[in-house]
Amino acid sequence: MSRKYLIAGNWKMNLTPDDSAALVEEINAVVGTQTSVQVCVCPPFTSLPVVSDKVEQTEVHLGAQNMHAEPSGAYTGEISAEMLRSLYVSHVILGHSERRQYCGETNASINQKILAAIQANLKPIYCVGETLGEREAGKTMEIVSTQVREGLEGYPSSALDLLVIAYEPVWAIGTGKTATDEMAQEVHAGIRQVLTEMFGEADASSIRILYGGSMKPENAAGLLAQPDVDGGLIGGASLSAKPFCDIVEAAIAAE
Ligand code: 13P
């Protein structure tokens, strides 16, 4: 099963609308017309309208970094799937470890968001990953398997074409420490095994599993060469056009 690489930039809580417009224009100029690799940028909510306008005539996809599970109502400060859709958002990062850590998100609450996202035809980029303590205790696969199973509880096979998983070891995020190619491949293969048990081999083999955690131009080629690494979710290196586009180029070269 051939899976097209997806390189997604998670801008986190960075960049004003003006800064975001400037960055996406630079990205558009370098990789905005190629189609061999999928490219997605995930700005903060306040930049979604301007970035949506800028990517409209390009091949660059637009993602959000979070959403609420309910369609509307008294949830001060929250954003619904439908609101994202109205801005032509196609992807939404869900369950990022920073939201698990700082905003109390759990596998169960993220599961509700994932199911709401696919109802609205949004593609969830579901983040999983172990902490350093969990890795050192030999619990990596146990933690990640539980995150996959509980986060995807009740997920319908008919919507698997929307699903993207991102393996982001928490100890590698923003630390400059990357999983080695072999470490990433081992966990990605383990995730695909869990997906196989849940959905069957044919469907599991079509789901993209991205790597995230200090991915940069220098380590992208090695990670992307792994058979179960289908792209990257890039934080720091997505905040300037050059390193982000260089990672996209590495994925194009690895196709
Ligand atoms: P860094 O690339 O800055 O380590 O962040 C990874 C990440 O959290 C992407 O979602």
Side-chain angles (χ1 to χ4, degrees), residues 8-12 93 96-98 127 166 168 172-177 211-216 232-238:
N10 176 7
W11 297 359
K12 306 192 180 182
I93 298 170
H96 194 281
S97 62
E98 288 149 13
C127 301
E168 300 207 312
I173 295 176
T175 58
K177 287 188 199 144
Y211 171 80
S214 299
M215 194 163 177
K216 37 191 183 283
L233 184 55
I234 324 296
S238 74

mmCIF file with all atom_site columns, all heavy atoms in Angstrom, residues 8-12 93 96-98 127 166 168 172-177 211-216 232-238, ligand 1:
data_model
loop_
_atom_site.group_PDB
_atom_site.id
_atom_site.type_symbol
_atom_site.label_atom_id
_atom_site.label_alt_id
_atom_site.label_comp_id
_atom_site.label_asym_id
_atom_site.label_entity_id
_atom_site.label_seq_id
_atom_site.pdbx_PDB_ins_code
_atom_site.Cartn_x
_atom_site.Cartn_y
_atom_site.Cartn_z
_atom_site.occupancy
_atom_site.B_iso_or_equiv
_atom_site.pdbx_formal_charge
_atom_site.auth_seq_id
_atom_site.auth_comp_id
_atom_site.auth_asym_id
_atom_site.auth_atom_id
_atom_site.pdbx_PDB_model_num
ATOM   1   N N   . ALA A 1 8   ? 3.394  18.224 8.001  1.00 0.00 ? 8   ALA A N   1
ATOM   2   C CA  . ALA A 1 8   ? 2.499  19.205 8.617  1.00 0.00 ? 8   ALA A CA  1
ATOM   3   C C   . ALA A 1 8   ? 3.295  20.075 9.583  1.00 0.00 ? 8   ALA A C   1
ATOM   4   O O   . ALA A 1 8   ? 4.115  19.572 10.357 1.00 0.00 ? 8   ALA A O   1
ATOM   5   C CB  . ALA A 1 8   ? 1.359  18.494 9.352  1.00 0.00 ? 8   ALA A CB  1
ATOM   6   N N   . GLY A 1 9   ? 3.033  21.373 9.529  1.00 0.00 ? 9   GLY A N   1
ATOM   7   C CA  . GLY A 1 9   ? 3.699  22.311 10.434 1.00 0.00 ? 9   GLY A CA  1
ATOM   8   C C   . GLY A 1 9   ? 2.748  22.705 11.549 1.00 0.00 ? 9   GLY A C   1
ATOM   9   O O   . GLY A 1 9   ? 1.652  23.208 11.276 1.00 0.00 ? 9   GLY A O   1
ATOM   10  N N   . ASN A 1 10  ? 3.150  22.456 12.787 1.00 0.00 ? 10  ASN A N   1
ATOM   11  C CA  . ASN A 1 10  ? 2.360  22.873 13.954 1.00 0.00 ? 10  ASN A CA  1
ATOM   12  C C   . ASN A 1 10  ? 2.998  24.141 14.499 1.00 0.00 ? 10  ASN A C   1
ATOM   13  O O   . ASN A 1 10  ? 4.044  24.091 15.139 1.00 0.00 ? 10  ASN A O   1
ATOM   14  C CB  . ASN A 1 10  ? 2.378  21.753 15.004 1.00 0.00 ? 10  ASN A CB  1
ATOM   15  C CG  . ASN A 1 10  ? 1.668  22.157 16.284 1.00 0.00 ? 10  ASN A CG  1
ATOM   16  O OD1 . ASN A 1 10  ? 1.050  23.228 16.354 1.00 0.00 ? 10  ASN A OD1 1
ATOM   17  N ND2 . ASN A 1 10  ? 1.755  21.302 17.303 1.00 0.00 ? 10  ASN A ND2 1
ATOM   18  N N   . TRP A 1 11  ? 2.356  25.275 14.215 1.00 0.00 ? 11  TRP A N   1
ATOM   19  C CA  . TRP A 1 11  ? 2.955  26.565 14.602 1.00 0.00 ? 11  TRP A CA  1
ATOM   20  C C   . TRP A 1 11  ? 2.752  26.849 16.088 1.00 0.00 ? 11  TRP A C   1
ATOM   21  O O   . TRP A 1 11  ? 3.283  27.841 16.596 1.00 0.00 ? 11  TRP A O   1
ATOM   22  C CB  . TRP A 1 11  ? 2.376  27.693 13.741 1.00 0.00 ? 11  TRP A CB  1
ATOM   23  C CG  . TRP A 1 11  ? 2.685  27.565 12.271 1.00 0.00 ? 11  TRP A CG  1
ATOM   24  C CD1 . TRP A 1 11  ? 3.433  26.581 11.663 1.00 0.00 ? 11  TRP A CD1 1
ATOM   25  C CD2 . TRP A 1 11  ? 2.273  28.444 11.216 1.00 0.00 ? 11  TRP A CD2 1
ATOM   26  N NE1 . TRP A 1 11  ? 3.501  26.798 10.304 1.00 0.00 ? 11  TRP A NE1 1
ATOM   27  C CE2 . TRP A 1 11  ? 2.797  27.934 10.001 1.00 0.00 ? 11  TRP A CE2 1
ATOM   28  C CE3 . TRP A 1 11  ? 1.509  29.614 11.175 1.00 0.00 ? 11  TRP A CE3 1
ATOM   29  C CZ2 . TRP A 1 11  ? 2.581  28.552 8.769  1.00 0.00 ? 11  TRP A CZ2 1
ATOM   30  C CZ3 . TRP A 1 11  ? 1.291  30.241 9.938  1.00 0.00 ? 11  TRP A CZ3 1
ATOM   31  C CH2 . TRP A 1 11  ? 1.824  29.718 8.755  1.00 0.00 ? 11  TRP A CH2 1
ATOM   32  N N   . LYS A 1 12  ? 1.975  26.022 16.761 1.00 0.00 ? 12  LYS A N   1
ATOM   33  C CA  . LYS A 1 12  ? 1.717  26.200 18.200 1.00 0.00 ? 12  LYS A CA  1
ATOM   34  C C   . LYS A 1 12  ? 1.265  27.645 18.485 1.00 0.00 ? 12  LYS A C   1
ATOM   35  O O   . LYS A 1 12  ? 0.591  28.248 17.659 1.00 0.00 ? 12  LYS A O   1
ATOM   36  C CB  . LYS A 1 12  ? 2.940  25.772 19.020 1.00 0.00 ? 12  LYS A CB  1
ATOM   37  C CG  . LYS A 1 12  ? 3.372  24.334 18.666 1.00 0.00 ? 12  LYS A CG  1
ATOM   38  C CD  . LYS A 1 12  ? 4.362  23.727 19.608 1.00 0.00 ? 12  LYS A CD  1
ATOM   39  C CE  . LYS A 1 12  ? 4.725  22.313 19.157 1.00 0.00 ? 12  LYS A CE  1
ATOM   40  N NZ  . LYS A 1 12  ? 5.651  21.632 20.053 1.00 0.00 ? 12  LYS A NZ  1
ATOM   41  N N   . ILE A 1 93  ? -5.223 18.928 14.466 1.00 0.00 ? 93  ILE A N   1
ATOM   42  C CA  . ILE A 1 93  ? -4.357 18.204 15.411 1.00 0.00 ? 93  ILE A CA  1
ATOM   43  C C   . ILE A 1 93  ? -5.176 17.962 16.677 1.00 0.00 ? 93  ILE A C   1
ATOM   44  O O   . ILE A 1 93  ? -5.765 18.893 17.227 1.00 0.00 ? 93  ILE A O   1
ATOM   45  C CB  . ILE A 1 93  ? -3.107 19.046 15.751 1.00 0.00 ? 93  ILE A CB  1
ATOM   46  C CG1 . ILE A 1 93  ? -2.259 19.311 14.492 1.00 0.00 ? 93  ILE A CG1 1
ATOM   47  C CG2 . ILE A 1 93  ? -2.269 18.365 16.835 1.00 0.00 ? 93  ILE A CG2 1
ATOM   48  C CD1 . ILE A 1 93  ? -1.145 20.345 14.704 1.00 0.00 ? 93  ILE A CD1 1
ATOM   49  N N   . HIS A 1 96  ? -2.590 16.580 21.215 1.00 0.00 ? 96  HIS A N   1
ATOM   50  C CA  . HIS A 1 96  ? -1.162 16.901 21.341 1.00 0.00 ? 96  HIS A CA  1
ATOM   51  C C   . HIS A 1 96  ? -0.732 16.780 22.802 1.00 0.00 ? 96  HIS A C   1
ATOM   52  O O   . HIS A 1 96  ? -1.494 17.119 23.708 1.00 0.00 ? 96  HIS A O   1
ATOM   53  C CB  . HIS A 1 96  ? -0.899 18.320 20.825 1.00 0.00 ? 96  HIS A CB  1
ATOM   54  C CG  . HIS A 1 96  ? 0.561  18.580 20.613 1.00 0.00 ? 96  HIS A CG  1
ATOM   55  N ND1 . HIS A 1 96  ? 1.395  18.880 21.653 1.00 0.00 ? 96  HIS A ND1 1
ATOM   56  C CD2 . HIS A 1 96  ? 1.322  18.539 19.501 1.00 0.00 ? 96  HIS A CD2 1
ATOM   57  C CE1 . HIS A 1 96  ? 2.631  19.023 21.182 1.00 0.00 ? 96  HIS A CE1 1
ATOM   58  N NE2 . HIS A 1 96  ? 2.608  18.823 19.871 1.00 0.00 ? 96  HIS A NE2 1
ATOM   59  N N   . SER A 1 97  ? 0.492  16.339 23.019 1.00 0.00 ? 97  SER A N   1
ATOM   60  C CA  . SER A 1 97  ? 0.946  16.098 24.407 1.00 0.00 ? 97  SER A CA  1
ATOM   61  C C   . SER A 1 97  ? 0.913  17.378 25.240 1.00 0.00 ? 97  SER A C   1
ATOM   62  O O   . SER A 1 97  ? 0.724  17.324 26.455 1.00 0.00 ? 97  SER A O   1
ATOM   63  C CB  . SER A 1 97  ? 2.350  15.504 24.419 1.00 0.00 ? 97  SER A CB  1
ATOM   64  O OG  . SER A 1 97  ? 3.262  16.414 23.847 1.00 0.00 ? 97  SER A OG  1
ATOM   65  N N   . GLU A 1 98  ? 1.088  18.532 24.569 1.00 0.00 ? 98  GLU A N   1
ATOM   66  C CA  . GLU A 1 98  ? 1.012  19.788 25.342 1.00 0.00 ? 98  GLU A CA  1
ATOM   67  C C   . GLU A 1 98  ? -0.409 20.011 25.859 1.00 0.00 ? 98  GLU A C   1
ATOM   68  O O   . GLU A 1 98  ? -0.596 20.552 26.950 1.00 0.00 ? 98  GLU A O   1
ATOM   69  C CB  . GLU A 1 98  ? 1.501  20.959 24.468 1.00 0.00 ? 98  GLU A CB  1
ATOM   70  C CG  . GLU A 1 98  ? 3.013  20.896 24.278 1.00 0.00 ? 98  GLU A CG  1
ATOM   71  C CD  . GLU A 1 98  ? 3.523  21.456 22.966 1.00 0.00 ? 98  GLU A CD  1
ATOM   72  O OE1 . GLU A 1 98  ? 2.768  22.141 22.251 1.00 0.00 ? 98  GLU A OE1 1
ATOM   73  O OE2 . GLU A 1 98  ? 4.696  21.177 22.637 1.00 0.00 ? 98  GLU A OE2 1
ATOM   74  N N   . CYS A 1 127 ? -2.382 12.692 18.014 1.00 0.00 ? 127 CYS A N   1
ATOM   75  C CA  . CYS A 1 127 ? -1.030 12.602 18.566 1.00 0.00 ? 127 CYS A CA  1
ATOM   76  C C   . CYS A 1 127 ? -0.956 11.624 19.738 1.00 0.00 ? 127 CYS A C   1
ATOM   77  O O   . CYS A 1 127 ? -1.778 11.686 20.658 1.00 0.00 ? 127 CYS A O   1
ATOM   78  C CB  . CYS A 1 127 ? -0.566 13.965 19.073 1.00 0.00 ? 127 CYS A CB  1
ATOM   79  S SG  . CYS A 1 127 ? -0.563 15.235 17.808 1.00 0.00 ? 127 CYS A SG  1
ATOM   80  N N   . ALA A 1 166 ? -0.022 10.734 14.667 1.00 0.00 ? 166 ALA A N   1
ATOM   81  C CA  . ALA A 1 166 ? 1.326  11.304 14.809 1.00 0.00 ? 166 ALA A CA  1
ATOM   82  C C   . ALA A 1 166 ? 1.954  10.723 16.070 1.00 0.00 ? 166 ALA A C   1
ATOM   83  O O   . ALA A 1 166 ? 1.396  10.876 17.162 1.00 0.00 ? 166 ALA A O   1
ATOM   84  C CB  . ALA A 1 166 ? 1.269  12.820 14.903 1.00 0.00 ? 166 ALA A CB  1
ATOM   85  N N   . GLU A 1 168 ? 4.605  11.209 18.627 1.00 0.00 ? 168 GLU A N   1
ATOM   86  C CA  . GLU A 1 168 ? 5.468  12.282 19.126 1.00 0.00 ? 168 GLU A CA  1
ATOM   87  C C   . GLU A 1 168 ? 5.952  11.912 20.521 1.00 0.00 ? 168 GLU A C   1
ATOM   88  O O   . GLU A 1 168 ? 5.245  12.150 21.510 1.00 0.00 ? 168 GLU A O   1
ATOM   89  C CB  . GLU A 1 168 ? 4.693  13.604 19.201 1.00 0.00 ? 168 GLU A CB  1
ATOM   90  C CG  . GLU A 1 168 ? 4.153  14.079 17.872 1.00 0.00 ? 168 GLU A CG  1
ATOM   91  C CD  . GLU A 1 168 ? 3.989  15.594 17.837 1.00 0.00 ? 168 GLU A CD  1
ATOM   92  O OE1 . GLU A 1 168 ? 3.425  16.181 18.778 1.00 0.00 ? 168 GLU A OE1 1
ATOM   93  O OE2 . GLU A 1 168 ? 4.466  16.195 16.871 1.00 0.00 ? 168 GLU A OE2 1
ATOM   94  N N   . ALA A 1 172 ? 11.057 14.186 23.116 1.00 0.00 ? 172 ALA A N   1
ATOM   95  C CA  . ALA A 1 172 ? 11.742 14.689 21.909 1.00 0.00 ? 172 ALA A CA  1
ATOM   96  C C   . ALA A 1 172 ? 11.156 16.012 21.430 1.00 0.00 ? 172 ALA A C   1
ATOM   97  O O   . ALA A 1 172 ? 11.674 16.616 20.498 1.00 0.00 ? 172 ALA A O   1
ATOM   98  C CB  . ALA A 1 172 ? 11.644 13.651 20.789 1.00 0.00 ? 172 ALA A CB  1
ATOM   99  N N   . ILE A 1 173 ? 10.064 16.466 22.067 1.00 0.00 ? 173 ILE A N   1
ATOM   100 C CA  . ILE A 1 173 ? 9.387  17.668 21.581 1.00 0.00 ? 173 ILE A CA  1
ATOM   101 C C   . ILE A 1 173 ? 10.070 18.925 22.106 1.00 0.00 ? 173 ILE A C   1
ATOM   102 O O   . ILE A 1 173 ? 10.143 19.131 23.324 1.00 0.00 ? 173 ILE A O   1
ATOM   103 C CB  . ILE A 1 173 ? 7.894  17.662 21.994 1.00 0.00 ? 173 ILE A CB  1
ATOM   104 C CG1 . ILE A 1 173 ? 7.184  16.503 21.310 1.00 0.00 ? 173 ILE A CG1 1
ATOM   105 C CG2 . ILE A 1 173 ? 7.233  18.995 21.659 1.00 0.00 ? 173 ILE A CG2 1
ATOM   106 C CD1 . ILE A 1 173 ? 5.729  16.337 21.722 1.00 0.00 ? 173 ILE A CD1 1
ATOM   107 N N   . GLY A 1 174 ? 10.596 19.711 21.186 1.00 0.00 ? 174 GLY A N   1
ATOM   108 C CA  . GLY A 1 174 ? 11.199 20.994 21.534 1.00 0.00 ? 174 GLY A CA  1
ATOM   109 C C   . GLY A 1 174 ? 12.485 20.865 22.336 1.00 0.00 ? 174 GLY A C   1
ATOM   110 O O   . GLY A 1 174 ? 12.966 21.842 22.902 1.00 0.00 ? 174 GLY A O   1
ATOM   111 N N   . THR A 1 175 ? 13.052 19.677 22.380 1.00 0.00 ? 175 THR A N   1
ATOM   112 C CA  . THR A 1 175 ? 14.238 19.453 23.208 1.00 0.00 ? 175 THR A CA  1
ATOM   113 C C   . THR A 1 175 ? 15.503 19.326 22.377 1.00 0.00 ? 175 THR A C   1
ATOM   114 O O   . THR A 1 175 ? 16.606 19.320 22.923 1.00 0.00 ? 175 THR A O   1
ATOM   115 C CB  . THR A 1 175 ? 14.091 18.134 23.997 1.00 0.00 ? 175 THR A CB  1
ATOM   116 O OG1 . THR A 1 175 ? 13.895 17.070 23.041 1.00 0.00 ? 175 THR A OG1 1
ATOM   117 C CG2 . THR A 1 175 ? 12.916 18.187 24.946 1.00 0.00 ? 175 THR A CG2 1
ATOM   118 N N   . GLY A 1 176 ? 15.334 19.183 21.064 1.00 0.00 ? 176 GLY A N   1
ATOM   119 C CA  . GLY A 1 176 ? 16.488 18.912 20.217 1.00 0.00 ? 176 GLY A CA  1
ATOM   120 C C   . GLY A 1 176 ? 16.865 17.444 20.209 1.00 0.00 ? 176 GLY A C   1
ATOM   121 O O   . GLY A 1 176 ? 17.707 17.011 19.434 1.00 0.00 ? 176 GLY A O   1
ATOM   122 N N   . LYS A 1 177 ? 16.248 16.654 21.094 1.00 0.00 ? 177 LYS A N   1
ATOM   123 C CA  . LYS A 1 177 ? 16.515 15.196 21.109 1.00 0.00 ? 177 LYS A CA  1
ATOM   124 C C   . LYS A 1 177 ? 15.510 14.528 20.175 1.00 0.00 ? 177 LYS A C   1
ATOM   125 O O   . LYS A 1 177 ? 14.313 14.671 20.357 1.00 0.00 ? 177 LYS A O   1
ATOM   126 C CB  . LYS A 1 177 ? 16.270 14.621 22.504 1.00 0.00 ? 177 LYS A CB  1
ATOM   127 C CG  . LYS A 1 177 ? 17.293 14.980 23.504 1.00 0.00 ? 177 LYS A CG  1
ATOM   128 C CD  . LYS A 1 177 ? 17.031 14.194 24.785 1.00 0.00 ? 177 LYS A CD  1
ATOM   129 C CE  . LYS A 1 177 ? 17.744 14.858 25.935 1.00 0.00 ? 177 LYS A CE  1
ATOM   130 N NZ  . LYS A 1 177 ? 17.013 14.791 27.179 1.00 0.00 ? 177 LYS A NZ  1
ATOM   131 N N   . TYR A 1 211 ? 5.907  11.166 12.191 1.00 0.00 ? 211 TYR A N   1
ATOM   132 C CA  . TYR A 1 211 ? 6.801  11.302 13.343 1.00 0.00 ? 211 TYR A CA  1
ATOM   133 C C   . TYR A 1 211 ? 6.891  12.782 13.724 1.00 0.00 ? 211 TYR A C   1
ATOM   134 O O   . TYR A 1 211 ? 6.965  13.654 12.837 1.00 0.00 ? 211 TYR A O   1
ATOM   135 C CB  . TYR A 1 211 ? 8.214  10.772 13.030 1.00 0.00 ? 211 TYR A CB  1
ATOM   136 C CG  . TYR A 1 211 ? 9.158  11.126 14.155 1.00 0.00 ? 211 TYR A CG  1
ATOM   137 C CD1 . TYR A 1 211 ? 9.179  10.359 15.317 1.00 0.00 ? 211 TYR A CD1 1
ATOM   138 C CD2 . TYR A 1 211 ? 9.930  12.292 14.110 1.00 0.00 ? 211 TYR A CD2 1
ATOM   139 C CE1 . TYR A 1 211 ? 9.965  10.731 16.395 1.00 0.00 ? 211 TYR A CE1 1
ATOM   140 C CE2 . TYR A 1 211 ? 10.718 12.672 15.183 1.00 0.00 ? 211 TYR A CE2 1
ATOM   141 C CZ  . TYR A 1 211 ? 10.729 11.889 16.317 1.00 0.00 ? 211 TYR A CZ  1
ATOM   142 O OH  . TYR A 1 211 ? 11.493 12.275 17.391 1.00 0.00 ? 211 TYR A OH  1
ATOM   143 N N   . GLY A 1 212 ? 6.880  13.081 15.012 1.00 0.00 ? 212 GLY A N   1
ATOM   144 C CA  . GLY A 1 212 ? 7.083  14.453 15.470 1.00 0.00 ? 212 GLY A CA  1
ATOM   145 C C   . GLY A 1 212 ? 7.968  14.472 16.695 1.00 0.00 ? 212 GLY A C   1
ATOM   146 O O   . GLY A 1 212 ? 7.875  13.600 17.567 1.00 0.00 ? 212 GLY A O   1
ATOM   147 N N   . GLY A 1 213 ? 8.823  15.499 16.774 1.00 0.00 ? 213 GLY A N   1
ATOM   148 C CA  . GLY A 1 213 ? 9.737  15.639 17.913 1.00 0.00 ? 213 GLY A CA  1
ATOM   149 C C   . GLY A 1 213 ? 11.113 15.997 17.412 1.00 0.00 ? 213 GLY A C   1
ATOM   150 O O   . GLY A 1 213 ? 11.865 15.117 17.000 1.00 0.00 ? 213 GLY A O   1
ATOM   151 N N   . SER A 1 214 ? 11.393 17.316 17.371 1.00 0.00 ? 214 SER A N   1
ATOM   152 C CA  . SER A 1 214 ? 12.693 17.816 16.910 1.00 0.00 ? 214 SER A CA  1
ATOM   153 C C   . SER A 1 214 ? 13.062 17.310 15.511 1.00 0.00 ? 214 SER A C   1
ATOM   154 O O   . SER A 1 214 ? 14.228 17.050 15.232 1.00 0.00 ? 214 SER A O   1
ATOM   155 C CB  . SER A 1 214 ? 13.796 17.484 17.918 1.00 0.00 ? 214 SER A CB  1
ATOM   156 O OG  . SER A 1 214 ? 13.516 18.108 19.165 1.00 0.00 ? 214 SER A OG  1
ATOM   157 N N   . MET A 1 215 ? 12.065 17.176 14.648 1.00 0.00 ? 215 MET A N   1
ATOM   158 C CA  . MET A 1 215 ? 12.366 16.820 13.255 1.00 0.00 ? 215 MET A CA  1
ATOM   159 C C   . MET A 1 215 ? 12.859 18.071 12.554 1.00 0.00 ? 215 MET A C   1
ATOM   160 O O   . MET A 1 215 ? 12.286 19.150 12.699 1.00 0.00 ? 215 MET A O   1
ATOM   161 C CB  . MET A 1 215 ? 11.121 16.279 12.564 1.00 0.00 ? 215 MET A CB  1
ATOM   162 C CG  . MET A 1 215 ? 11.401 15.574 11.252 1.00 0.00 ? 215 MET A CG  1
ATOM   163 S SD  . MET A 1 215 ? 9.960  14.571 10.823 1.00 0.00 ? 215 MET A SD  1
ATOM   164 C CE  . MET A 1 215 ? 10.438 13.922 9.251  1.00 0.00 ? 215 MET A CE  1
ATOM   165 N N   . LYS A 1 216 ? 13.941 17.923 11.802 1.00 0.00 ? 216 LYS A N   1
ATOM   166 C CA  . LYS A 1 216 ? 14.536 19.054 11.106 1.00 0.00 ? 216 LYS A CA  1
ATOM   167 C C   . LYS A 1 216 ? 15.181 18.564 9.819  1.00 0.00 ? 216 LYS A C   1
ATOM   168 O O   . LYS A 1 216 ? 15.246 17.350 9.601  1.00 0.00 ? 216 LYS A O   1
ATOM   169 C CB  . LYS A 1 216 ? 15.533 19.792 12.013 1.00 0.00 ? 216 LYS A CB  1
ATOM   170 C CG  . LYS A 1 216 ? 16.353 18.927 12.928 1.00 0.00 ? 216 LYS A CG  1
ATOM   171 C CD  . LYS A 1 216 ? 17.104 19.781 13.951 1.00 0.00 ? 216 LYS A CD  1
ATOM   172 C CE  . LYS A 1 216 ? 18.004 18.930 14.837 1.00 0.00 ? 216 LYS A CE  1
ATOM   173 N NZ  . LYS A 1 216 ? 17.310 18.198 15.887 1.00 0.00 ? 216 LYS A NZ  1
ATOM   174 N N   . GLY A 1 232 ? 5.871  13.914 8.686  1.00 0.00 ? 232 GLY A N   1
ATOM   175 C CA  . GLY A 1 232 ? 6.322  14.543 9.923  1.00 0.00 ? 232 GLY A CA  1
ATOM   176 C C   . GLY A 1 232 ? 5.342  15.588 10.405 1.00 0.00 ? 232 GLY A C   1
ATOM   177 O O   . GLY A 1 232 ? 4.620  16.205 9.613  1.00 0.00 ? 232 GLY A O   1
ATOM   178 N N   . LEU A 1 233 ? 5.306  15.744 11.729 1.00 0.00 ? 233 LEU A N   1
ATOM   179 C CA  . LEU A 1 233 ? 4.578  16.853 12.353 1.00 0.00 ? 233 LEU A CA  1
ATOM   180 C C   . LEU A 1 233 ? 5.662  17.718 12.982 1.00 0.00 ? 233 LEU A C   1
ATOM   181 O O   . LEU A 1 233 ? 6.337  17.310 13.930 1.00 0.00 ? 233 LEU A O   1
ATOM   182 C CB  . LEU A 1 233 ? 3.584  16.322 13.393 1.00 0.00 ? 233 LEU A CB  1
ATOM   183 C CG  . LEU A 1 233 ? 2.682  17.361 14.074 1.00 0.00 ? 233 LEU A CG  1
ATOM   184 C CD1 . LEU A 1 233 ? 1.913  18.193 13.067 1.00 0.00 ? 233 LEU A CD1 1
ATOM   185 C CD2 . LEU A 1 233 ? 1.688  16.656 15.012 1.00 0.00 ? 233 LEU A CD2 1
ATOM   186 N N   . ILE A 1 234 ? 5.838  18.902 12.419 1.00 0.00 ? 234 ILE A N   1
ATOM   187 C CA  . ILE A 1 234 ? 7.016  19.701 12.693 1.00 0.00 ? 234 ILE A CA  1
ATOM   188 C C   . ILE A 1 234 ? 6.632  20.902 13.553 1.00 0.00 ? 234 ILE A C   1
ATOM   189 O O   . ILE A 1 234 ? 5.726  21.645 13.181 1.00 0.00 ? 234 ILE A O   1
ATOM   190 C CB  . ILE A 1 234 ? 7.634  20.260 11.380 1.00 0.00 ? 234 ILE A CB  1
ATOM   191 C CG1 . ILE A 1 234 ? 7.520  19.278 10.204 1.00 0.00 ? 234 ILE A CG1 1
ATOM   192 C CG2 . ILE A 1 234 ? 9.062  20.716 11.598 1.00 0.00 ? 234 ILE A CG2 1
ATOM   193 C CD1 . ILE A 1 234 ? 8.257  18.009 10.339 1.00 0.00 ? 234 ILE A CD1 1
ATOM   194 N N   . GLY A 1 235 ? 7.328  21.100 14.648 1.00 0.00 ? 235 GLY A N   1
ATOM   195 C CA  . GLY A 1 235 ? 7.075  22.265 15.487 1.00 0.00 ? 235 GLY A CA  1
ATOM   196 C C   . GLY A 1 235 ? 8.046  23.386 15.144 1.00 0.00 ? 235 GLY A C   1
ATOM   197 O O   . GLY A 1 235 ? 7.844  24.144 14.191 1.00 0.00 ? 235 GLY A O   1
ATOM   198 N N   . GLY A 1 236 ? 9.124  23.497 15.914 1.00 0.00 ? 236 GLY A N   1
ATOM   199 C CA  . GLY A 1 236 ? 10.068 24.605 15.770 1.00 0.00 ? 236 GLY A CA  1
ATOM   200 C C   . GLY A 1 236 ? 10.532 24.847 14.343 1.00 0.00 ? 236 GLY A C   1
ATOM   201 O O   . GLY A 1 236 ? 10.585 25.999 13.882 1.00 0.00 ? 236 GLY A O   1
ATOM   202 N N   . ALA A 1 237 ? 10.846 23.782 13.630 1.00 0.00 ? 237 ALA A N   1
ATOM   203 C CA  . ALA A 1 237 ? 11.381 23.934 12.267 1.00 0.00 ? 237 ALA A CA  1
ATOM   204 C C   . ALA A 1 237 ? 10.302 24.311 11.254 1.00 0.00 ? 237 ALA A C   1
ATOM   205 O O   . ALA A 1 237 ? 10.601 24.482 10.070 1.00 0.00 ? 237 ALA A O   1
ATOM   206 C CB  . ALA A 1 237 ? 12.105 22.656 11.832 1.00 0.00 ? 237 ALA A CB  1
ATOM   207 N N   . SER A 1 238 ? 9.050  24.464 11.709 1.00 0.00 ? 238 SER A N   1
ATOM   208 C CA  . SER A 1 238 ? 8.005  24.902 10.766 1.00 0.00 ? 238 SER A CA  1
ATOM   209 C C   . SER A 1 238 ? 7.748  26.394 10.876 1.00 0.00 ? 238 SER A C   1
ATOM   210 O O   . SER A 1 238 ? 6.904  26.938 10.168 1.00 0.00 ? 238 SER A O   1
ATOM   211 C CB  . SER A 1 238 ? 6.691  24.141 11.020 1.00 0.00 ? 238 SER A CB  1
ATOM   212 O OG  . SER A 1 238 ? 6.046  24.587 12.199 1.00 0.00 ? 238 SER A OG  1
HETATM 213 P P1  . 13P B 2 .   ? 9.296  20.301 17.744 1.00 0.00 ? 1   13P B P1  1
HETATM 214 O O1  . 13P B 2 .   ? 9.471  20.001 16.278 1.00 0.00 ? 1   13P B O1  1
HETATM 215 O O2  . 13P B 2 .   ? 9.511  21.745 18.078 1.00 0.00 ? 1   13P B O2  1
HETATM 216 O O3  . 13P B 2 .   ? 10.061 19.346 18.600 1.00 0.00 ? 1   13P B O3  1
HETATM 217 O O4  . 13P B 2 .   ? 7.739  20.051 18.056 1.00 0.00 ? 1   13P B O4  1
HETATM 218 C C1  . 13P B 2 .   ? 7.155  18.860 17.660 1.00 0.00 ? 1   13P B C1  1
HETATM 219 C C2  . 13P B 2 .   ? 5.704  18.966 17.887 1.00 0.00 ? 1   13P B C2  1
HETATM 220 O O5  . 13P B 2 .   ? 5.241  19.012 19.010 1.00 0.00 ? 1   13P B O5  1
HETATM 221 C C3  . 13P B 2 .   ? 4.830  19.033 16.707 1.00 0.00 ? 1   13P B C3  1
HETATM 222 O O6  . 13P B 2 .   ? 3.496  18.888 17.048 1.00 0.00 ? 1   13P B O6  1
#
